[in-house]
Amino acid sequence: MADEKDREKDQRREALKLQSRVRGMMLGLALGDTVGAARGRPPAGGPLRAGVSTQLACFTAEGIIRASVRGNKKGICYPPGVVMHAYCRWAALQGIEVDRMRRRWVTVDDRTWPDGWLAGVPVLAERRGSAPATVTALSTIEPGGYGTPTTSRGCHALTRALPFGAVGLPGARQARDVAALTHGDAGAQSAAFHATVLVHHCLRQQTAPHGGQGPEAGEPVRSALSAGIAALRARERSRGGVLTDDEHDRLLTALRYAADEPAHAGRLARLAPDPTAPSALLGGLYVAASFPGPGEVRAALEFAAGAPDGDSVACVTGALLGAVHGVEALPVDLVSRHELAWVLDTLARDLLLQCDDSPSGSEYLRGWDPHWWERYPGW
């Protein structure tokens, strides 16, 4: 009996640790987006504003949950299409092609749309920067289709995809497929895939206790990133995937530079020279490995903000470090003032709950939460 109780306690502790890390990943990407937009100097007081990458990441997480709900209830689902529907709800809230969006998704005259609880968050209806490739692709959407992807290599293919890391390797494949619906550039699609694999390995990495200050405090971050790169290499070799030799070398080079030349502004500018998805990936990897300790998150975000496109680099940096160290390592004064902190925290918890327990039930089993379908309609 004692052994069984100990096992149950260990399982609860592991579940809480994973929850902290997924919360850290979601809130970390948002803090990075905000600090990056402020060039490393967010206002000293008042609410901290969310950026467009954070808005889209919220709808990515919601779309992942709704895709899982649909799969459990209907037995068939195309997750990238469900996430694309989530981006259409974001666009409608923003006032972008509202009539087109309704024609595509609303087949019943009296249906309330956009639906789901996320559509009721006022901040998500405010313009917080541009996502040109996403908007352009959504603006070509027609009934029965998902629009025409652009040729863009832009960073939003990656930054909005980071929540897929919580779903593991299937999520990484879905991140690549979702990127392909709006960003036709193969490099952008690959970067979204690679970033979500790295996030997944950060979420699953063993860590030292919070507050460690010696060299060993940084080992979990570097070990997780190294393991993620190795897993990408092994997987792509065995399946003939999308990780080219050049991409593999660039990832390893960024990691090596973090060990040999950490926190070097010139090096960061050369690794991440523009607002593209590959730059966000390499820049975020370099900065996270340059500031790997649990007490270095603020310094990491401030340094990442100095990149030519600080928003995207800091966004990736925050997601990686938050995924390894958990929400407790994030600067409390910043998290507590972020206007979407509660929304991001709720999405992180609900994402894990859906993956673990399916509160709305399935095609054959009755759910235990009567409100889950209303919150996350499975379509």
Side-chain angles (χ1 to χ4, degrees):
M1 181 65 72
D3 289 344
E4 184 177 344
K5 287 185 177 180
D6 287 341
R7 283 195 296 271
E8 290 177 355
K9 286 182 179 179
D10 288 342
Q11 290 172 352
R12 287 197 297 269
R13 287 166 184 156
E14 287 302 312
L16 289 172
K17 184 186 296 183
L18 179 59
Q19 184 183 90
S20 170
R21 291 179 173 188
V22 175
R23 293 166 63 202
M25 179 267 292
M26 292 290 290
L27 287 159
L29 74 84
L31 290 187
D33 192 19
T34 297
V35 173
R39 304 303 292 173
R41 296 183 177 181
L48 296 179
R49 290 165 58 90
V52 67
S53 287
T54 302
Q55 289 182 331
L56 288 169
C58 286
F59 279 95
T60 298
E62 190 223 27
I64 295 169
I65 297 171
R66 289 174 61 149
S68 177
V69 169
R70 177 177 174 79
N72 289 338
K73 286 284 192 179
K74 306 295 185 181
I76 185 171
C77 181
Y78 177 56
V82 180
V83 175
M84 193 66 164
H85 181 198
Y87 298 153
C88 289
R89 292 192 297 276
W90 167 79
L93 291 174
Q94 298 270 313
I96 299 168
E97 297 281 358
V98 178
D99 291 339
R100 180 186 294 272
M101 299 302 162
R102 289 191 63 84
R103 286 197 304 270
R104 171 61 178 88
W105 296 105
V106 182
T107 57
V108 180
D109 290 341
D110 61 350
R111 169 174 280 171
T112 299
W113 190 90
D115 55 2
W117 75 271
L118 203 61
V121 178
V123 171
L124 297 176
E126 297 182 13
R127 295 288 179 93
R128 293 298 174 82
S130 62
T134 302
V135 170
T136 298
L138 293 176
S139 297
T140 64
I141 206 166
E142 295 292 347
Y146 297 112
T148 304
T150 70
T151 59
S152 174
R153 195 176 176 83
C155 63
H156 293 117
L158 184 158
T159 55
R160 73 186 190 197
L162 293 167
F164 276 109
V167 193
L169 292 179
R173 291 192 292 270
Q174 293 164 15
R176 180 176 59 197
D177 293 343
V178 170
L181 292 175
T182 56
H183 293 67
D185 182 83
Q189 297 165 24
S190 295
F193 178 82
H194 301 157
T196 50
V197 170
L198 294 182
V199 167
H200 170 66
H201 279 267
C202 286
L203 288 169
R204 298 293 176 173
Q205 178 65 28
Q206 294 296 317
T207 61
H210 287 305
Q213 298 299 320
E216 69 281 357
E219 285 308 308
V221 172
R222 292 170 179 162
S223 295
L225 296 175
S226 180
I229 295 170
L232 278 169
R233 188 60 163 174
R235 182 185 183 282
E236 300 308 324
R237 278 180 170 171
S238 65
R239 301 193 182 190
V242 296
L243 183 69
T244 66
D245 289 340
D246 188 45
E247 288 170 336
H248 177 254
D249 290 344
R250 284 202 294 268
L251 291 172
L252 282 181
T253 298
L255 196 57
R256 186 177 68 250
Y257 280 141
D260 297 341
E261 299 180 78
H264 188 289
R267 181 60 64 191
L268 175 60
R270 289 189 286 275
L271 285 169
D274 51 41
T276 62
S279 283
L281 172 61
L282 294 176
L285 170 62
Y286 172 73
V287 178
S290 291
F291 296 86
E296 297 181 278
V297 175
R298 184 192 299 273
L301 298 182
E302 291 174 351
F303 178 75
D309 189 59
D311 307 34
S312 59
V313 173
C315 186
V316 176
T317 299
L320 294 174
L321 292 177
V324 173
H325 297 309
V327 70
E328 295 82 4
L330 302 180
V332 174
D333 61 313
L334 299 183
V335 173
S336 61
R337 292 195 289 128
H338 199 283
E339 61 184 351
L340 285 179
W342 177 82
V343 171
L344 292 153
D345 204 49
T346 300
L347 286 168
R349 294 172 189 266
D350 286 355
L351 177 57
L352 278 177
L353 188 56
Q354 174 61 35
C355 292
D356 183 60
D357 198 22
S358 189
S360 63
S362 68
E363 187 177 3
Y364 303 106
L365 295 176
R366 186 175 182 177
W368 54 267
D369 186 338
H371 306 292
W372 198 262
W373 178 272
E374 183 180 354
R375 287 167 55 76
Y376 299 106
W379 71 294

